[in-house]
Amino acid sequence: MQYRAVIKQTEGWWIGWLIDLPGVNAQEKTREELMESLRIGAQEMLETNVPFEPGFIMEKLDVPEPEWA
């Protein structure tokens, strides 16, 4: 799976977040460390067991992969 990351270097830090997974963000000293932190954050979010109230179900939705620049 691929997710879009917005990253920027500012004041000696790399900051970034995933557009497709709100809440996954990171700040690291190097670009490589930032990308790894975002990967770990995405994996942890996707593995999180989400409790549901009675009557709700979880569905998977297939969406075609876009061509990202």
Side-chain angles (χ1 to χ4, degrees):
M1 298 177 119
Q2 293 182 330
Y3 296 97
R4 296 173 292 173
V6 176
I7 66 172
K8 177 182 179 180
Q9 187 177 27
T10 181
E11 299 180 20
W13 290 90
W14 282 89
I15 60 171
W17 60 91
L18 298 184
I19 295 171
D20 308 303
L21 291 175
V24 176
N25 54 69
Q27 175 179 323
E28 299 290 352
K29 280 292 193 181
T30 69
R31 185 182 189 279
E32 293 77 20
E33 290 173 327
L34 173 68
M35 298 304 287
E36 182 62 17
S37 289
L38 291 173
R39 279 187 203 92
I40 291 168
Q43 185 175 10
E44 288 176 352
M45 177 172 276
L46 293 170
E47 290 174 350
T48 299
N49 186 14
V50 179
F52 288 95
E53 294 180 23
F56 284 87
I57 59 173
M58 180 180 286
E59 293 284 344
K60 291 186 178 180
L61 178 65
D62 289 323
V63 177
E65 294 246 358
E67 291 192 28
W68 294 328

